Amino acid sequence: MSAVEVSAGQSRDADSVPVNGHRVDWRGWKFLWPFVVVFLFVFIVPIVYAVYLSFFQTRMIGGTVFVGFANYLRLFRDGQFWGSVWRVTLFTLVQVPIMLALSALLALALDSMRLHGTRFFRISTFLPYAVPAVVSTLIWGFMYGAKYGLVGSLNGWLGTHLDVLQPSVLLASIGNIVTWEFTGYNMLIFYSSLSTIPHSLYEAASIDGASEWQIVRRIKMPELKGSLAITVIFSIIGSFQLFNEPSIMQNMVPGNAITTYYTPNMYAYNLSFTGGQSNYAAALAIVMAIITMAVAYAVQLNSMKEQMR
């Protein structure tokens, strides 16, 4: 037998022998099937069905017909849709930075170990997140009332005509409710990140003459970058899905300040359940999902670049 034949035979033997002398055991994959089934029916199937619905139209004459991308083309020419997208974009650009700045300041205050009653402040700040959005919106709605609420009482005492539910400031009033609801939730994320820093590091910095502001700037703020990216992404997704607060306040606001297309989610809801245009609403939902994912992905890429510097 030649050397070449011996080498080829050894190669075939090596291919037939499993890596590390063990055969591949597929039994472990059997433990995954409950998750795969739930994932398919809870996440994948609804998305595929929504995409499927978006390619049809239900007409009075002819029934449901395949229209291809007609719903998407109609959506791109829909001024009400783009008006609602601009409204939630403006809401995101203003409300999210304010909320996250407040959350970071509260977390830094709690972590400073100079605040008395830390446990009380931590619980009381987080408590609004535990209140259902319906209840918190009703509470703030009654407080906002210029004729029946806290604002109305202040107007009576001070002789003013303050109205925080008028259309020009209505979005800011809704932003105040959302900030009240989620500041404590984001504060806990920041506070958890700060808790991972060993306090011996602060003591060493103090011994070296670092001021409190230098400790915050050089030690604590870099630690918050990772959690800041997560909170920004969550907040952007939540803001683009704004629905509960304006929907509940729709009947509390005088006039027609909150329309059926005030936010994209309200528009999709009313199109589907009031207007009988579930196919068009499905196209709207798909486009909003793509916009939200694109914005969140851009924020994630930017945060990864910042962390790699």
Side-chain angles (χ1 to χ4, degrees), residues 15-97:
D15 292 339
S16 62
V17 176
V19 179
N20 298 329
H22 297 286
R23 293 182 181 279
V24 177
D25 191 353
W26 295 97
R27 287 177 298 179
W29 290 94
K30 294 178 182 178
F31 290 97
L32 284 177
W33 74 262
F35 166 75
V36 173
V37 171
V38 172
F39 183 77
L40 282 175
F41 282 93
V42 174
F43 292 96
I44 302 300
V45 171
I47 294 173
V48 173
Y49 186 60
V51 173
Y52 170 78
L53 284 179
S54 67
F55 292 121
F56 291 85
Q57 274 184 4
T58 302
R59 299 172 178 172
M60 294 184 66
I61 301 175
T64 303
V65 295
F66 179 78
V67 294
F69 290 94
N71 286 326
Y72 293 95
L73 294 175
R74 176 189 166 191
L75 191 66
F76 287 120
R77 296 190 297 266
D78 191 340
Q80 294 178 345
F81 169 68
W82 291 111
S84 64
V85 172
W86 164 245
R87 193 170 291 110
V88 292
T89 303
L90 179 64
F91 181 87
T92 304
L93 292 174
V94 177
Q95 187 269 335
V96 170

Side-chain angles (χ1 to χ4, degrees), residues 5-306:
E5 290 174 338
V6 171
S7 176
Q10 290 175 347
S11 177
R12 284 195 297 272
D13 293 341
D15 292 339
S16 62
V17 176
V19 179
N20 298 329
H22 297 286
R23 293 182 181 279
V24 177
D25 191 353
W26 295 97
R27 287 177 298 179
W29 290 94
K30 294 178 182 178
F31 290 97
L32 284 177
W33 74 262
F35 166 75
V36 173
V37 171
V38 172
F39 183 77
L40 282 175
F41 282 93
V42 174
F43 292 96
I44 302 300
V45 171
I47 294 173
V48 173
Y49 186 60
V51 173
Y52 170 78
L53 284 179
S54 67
F55 292 121
F56 291 85
Q57 274 184 4
T58 302
R59 299 172 178 172
M60 294 184 66
I61 301 175
T64 303
V65 295
F66 179 78
V67 294
F69 290 94
N71 286 326
Y72 293 95
L73 294 175
R74 176 189 166 191
L75 191 66
F76 287 120
R77 296 190 297 266
D78 191 340
Q80 294 178 345
F81 169 68
W82 291 111
S84 64
V85 172
W86 164 245
R87 193 170 291 110
V88 292
T89 303
L90 179 64
F91 181 87
T92 304
L93 292 174
V94 177
Q95 187 269 335
V96 170
I98 293 174
M99 177 182 65
L100 296 183
L102 286 174
S103 302
L105 288 174
L106 285 170
L108 289 170
L110 291 174
D111 189 67
S112 66
M113 297 183 295
R114 297 186 178 185
L115 190 67
H116 296 287
T118 302
R119 185 175 299 177
F120 168 76
F121 283 110
R122 191 168 58 224
I123 295 174
S124 59
T125 308
F126 181 74
L127 197 59
Y129 180 70
V131 178
V134 175
V135 177
S136 59
T137 306
L138 287 173
I139 292 171
W140 279 98
F142 283 115
M143 289 173 64
Y144 284 158
K147 295 181 179 178
Y148 49 82
L150 180 62
V151 174
S153 300
L154 287 175
N155 285 335
W157 294 335
L158 302 175
T160 57
H161 300 283
L162 184 65
D163 185 4
V164 296
L165 294 180
Q166 58 182 323
S168 59
V169 294
L170 182 57
L171 196 61
S173 300
I174 295 173
N176 178 56
I177 300 174
V178 177
T179 303
W180 182 79
E181 290 173 332
F182 290 98
T183 296
Y185 170 78
N186 292 302
M187 180 273 294
L188 273 190
I189 295 176
F190 289 138
Y191 184 68
S192 300
S193 296
L194 293 173
S195 300
T196 60
I197 303 174
H199 284 277
S200 58
L201 198 59
Y202 301 152
E203 294 171 0
S206 298
I207 293 172
D208 289 340
S211 64
E212 192 66 30
W213 167 244
Q214 288 175 323
I215 292 174
V216 170
R217 186 182 174 189
R218 301 292 184 185
I219 300 176
K220 295 185 179 182
M221 294 301 287
E223 185 65 25
L224 290 179
K225 283 186 177 179
S227 54
L228 180 63
I230 295 172
T231 53
V232 168
I233 291 172
F234 285 172
S235 301
I236 289 173
I237 294 172
S239 299
F240 274 80
Q241 295 177 348
L242 187 66
F243 178 80
N244 289 334
E245 290 79 9
S247 296
I248 296 166
M249 292 182 69
Q250 197 170 20
N251 295 324
M252 306 176 75
V253 175
N256 195 27
I258 298 180
T259 58
T260 55
Y261 49 88
Y262 194 73
T263 67
N265 274 12
M266 284 183 67
Y267 194 24
Y269 176 83
N270 287 294
L271 281 172
S272 182
F273 295 101
T274 306
Q277 302 182 59
S278 56
N279 303 104
Y280 187 50
L284 190 156
I286 296 298
V287 170
M288 275 309 299
I290 293 172
I291 292 174
T292 306
M293 284 191 294
V295 173
Y297 187 64
V299 172
Q300 185 180 7
L301 282 181
N302 185 58
S303 66
M304 290 173 65
K305 289 180 181 177
E306 289 288 332

